[in-house]
Amino acid sequence: MTATPSPPPASNPSGDASRRGETRRVLLAAPRGYCAGVDRAVIAVEKALEQYGAPVYVRHEIVHNKYVVKTLEKKGAIFVEETEEVPEGNIVIFSAHGVAPVVHDEAKRGKLATIDATCPLVTKVHKEAVRYAGEDYDILLIGHEGHEEVVGTSGEAPEHITIVDGPDDVQNVEVRDPEKVVWLSQTTLSVDETMETVGALKGRYPNLLSPPSDDICYATQNRQVAVKQMGAEADLVIVVGSKNSSNSVRLVEVALGAGARDAHLVDYAEEIDEAWLEGVNTVGVTSGASVPEILVHGVLDWLAQRGYEDVETITAAEESIAFSLPKELRRDLRAEARSAVEG
């Protein structure tokens, strides 16, 4: 979805004298940045503000990126931790990570109009959880305890779901019937670690059922594949993304696992430490699925000013997926919220 930028112009042709004569280059991962689910969620907030006017409340960060959240706040979005913080008669948007059914109930009790910006791929996992719980399976949800997506999925069938937080957690799992067990996963995990966890689970439960399709989303997989391809060649990999972004954190781990000598996560170019460039000829650059391209351009400009002007794109996949906006944006939610308060 994200267009590949042209190599930035040379801002500092002289560069660092101590590095003259070295071949310095940037490997730029593609795809990177916004995935279809993030794009949909961010546009949903922007459209709601245009259509209904401020304030529009958002439960939790719409996506895990500081820049995106700050930008939307300036436009009139108000981010809250809990639904009860939204005054009755207002609009609340649920984030791309999804929410449990109890949150929808809270919104109804609070007489709120809602816009559900949950990523459709997360919604798929929710539906799988409901289906397997209806068939009385024990569901082993591979994911990070406390992550918003895991909390939302667990809430669909809490009596059937056990969270498995990585391979080391497998030994703690207990199920009712080893013959009726299925695994699901958080969509933003490392593919390799997830399959390692699945392997360990199958060691205990040989008849463990797999979901009909991989839960880890296409965008997460594509970004990890691109980083693997450039990791072996890069002395340093810079991942643009926020620390609370699971898929961004995973990209750092994947880069190191692929052979990169060093890898760091930054929100902005200003966070890059020049000491990281010591002895570095090749820098890999990528960004998490909730990162706008403007932040990547900032990193490329910063590197160009230090002599890393040669940019080569490493393409792992082409992405053309797009999701339609939430159906609630086609209704007059302000009028619905007023009716709820008055009615």
Side-chain angles (χ1 to χ4, degrees):
M1 287 183 56
T2 306
T4 301
S6 301
S11 307
N12 181 15
S14 61
D16 181 343
S18 65
R19 292 181 175 272
R20 286 175 186 160
E22 294 180 355
T23 300
R24 282 169 284 173
R25 61 175 181 154
V26 174
L27 301 180
L28 182 62
R32 64 185 174 278
Y34 272 12
C35 63
V38 165
D39 197 39
R40 174 181 185 266
V42 174
I43 291 175
V45 178
E46 294 173 338
K47 290 290 186 184
L49 288 166
E50 291 173 9
Q51 189 166 325
Y52 305 117
V56 167
Y57 291 83
V58 184
R59 186 183 183 275
H60 293 172
E61 294 184 354
I62 188 67
V63 296
H64 287 157
N65 184 264
K66 287 182 182 179
Y67 177 89
V68 171
V69 169
K70 289 178 181 177
T71 300
L72 293 173
E73 282 178 334
K74 290 176 182 176
K75 294 181 178 181
I78 298 175
F79 292 87
V80 298
E81 286 302 306
E82 301 299 337
T83 315
E84 290 89 341
E85 297 175 51
V86 183
E88 68 176 24
N90 276 279
I91 296 171
V92 62
I93 300 177
F94 299 138
S95 79
H97 308 102
V99 297
V102 65
V103 177
H104 289 275
D105 294 339
E106 291 169 357
K108 288 179 183 177
R109 289 197 299 271
K111 300 179 179 178
L112 305 174
T114 61
I115 298 174
D116 191 351
T118 301
C119 173
L121 299 180
V122 174
T123 299
K124 177 183 76 72
V125 180
H126 281 220
K127 290 180 178 178
E128 289 172 351
V130 171
R131 176 163 72 87
Y132 286 117
E135 296 173 6
D136 202 31
Y137 275 81
D138 278 339
I139 301 167
L140 305 181
L141 177 59
I142 301 171
H144 299 304
E145 186 86 44
H147 188 278
E148 290 163 36
E149 183 184 328
V150 172
V151 171
T153 302
S154 298
E156 293 286 357
E159 69 283 1
H160 285 269
I161 291 178
T162 299
I163 299 169
V164 185
D165 199 342
D168 294 339
D169 198 25
V170 170
Q171 61 183 352
N172 302 319
V173 174
E174 297 293 339
V175 301
R176 294 170 300 158
D177 181 357
E179 302 301 312
K180 288 201 75 172
V181 189
V182 62
W183 70 269
L184 302 176
S185 77
Q186 181 182 332
T187 64
T188 55
L189 298 179
S190 159
V191 178
D192 293 338
E193 183 180 350
T194 299
M195 297 320 296
E196 183 183 348
T197 304
V198 171
L201 287 170
K202 286 185 174 180
R204 290 194 63 186
Y205 308 110
N207 293 324
L208 178 71
L209 185 66
S210 297
S213 60
D214 290 339
D215 287 342
I216 297 176
C217 86
Y218 75 95
T220 297
Q221 294 185 55
N222 289 344
R223 281 148 188 73
Q224 290 178 14
V225 170
V227 167
K228 284 181 181 179
Q229 289 182 3
M230 71 182 187
E233 295 186 59
D235 303 307
L236 165 70
V237 172
I238 296 174
V239 178
V240 186
S242 294
K243 290 180 174 60
N244 64 337
S245 167
S246 178
N247 75 88
S248 298
V249 172
R250 298 290 85 73
L251 287 174
V252 174
E253 297 171 355
V254 170
L256 293 170
R261 193 177 72 200
D262 194 13
H264 295 276
L265 182 66
V266 300
D267 269 294
Y268 306 101
E270 293 75 18
E271 295 177 6
I272 302 173
D273 187 340
E274 292 205 41
W276 299 345
L277 299 178
E278 186 64 35
V280 168
N281 293 331
T282 301
V283 181
V285 175
T286 189
S287 57
S290 52
V291 177
E293 188 67 3
I294 188 173
L295 300 181
V296 175
H297 277 288
V299 169
L300 294 176
D301 289 341
W302 189 95
L303 289 169
Q305 291 167 12
R306 287 151 183 85
Y308 296 84
E309 302 163 17
D310 180 14
V311 178
E312 176 187 346
T313 300
I314 303 296
T315 303
E318 300 289 339
E319 293 181 353
S320 58
I321 294 175
F323 297 130
S324 59
L325 291 175
K327 62 183 182 299
E328 296 92 343
L329 288 169
R330 298 192 291 271
R331 307 203 309 258
D332 186 351
L333 293 184
R334 290 285 184 208
E336 290 180 26
R338 284 195 299 271
S339 296
V341 173
E342 293 166 1

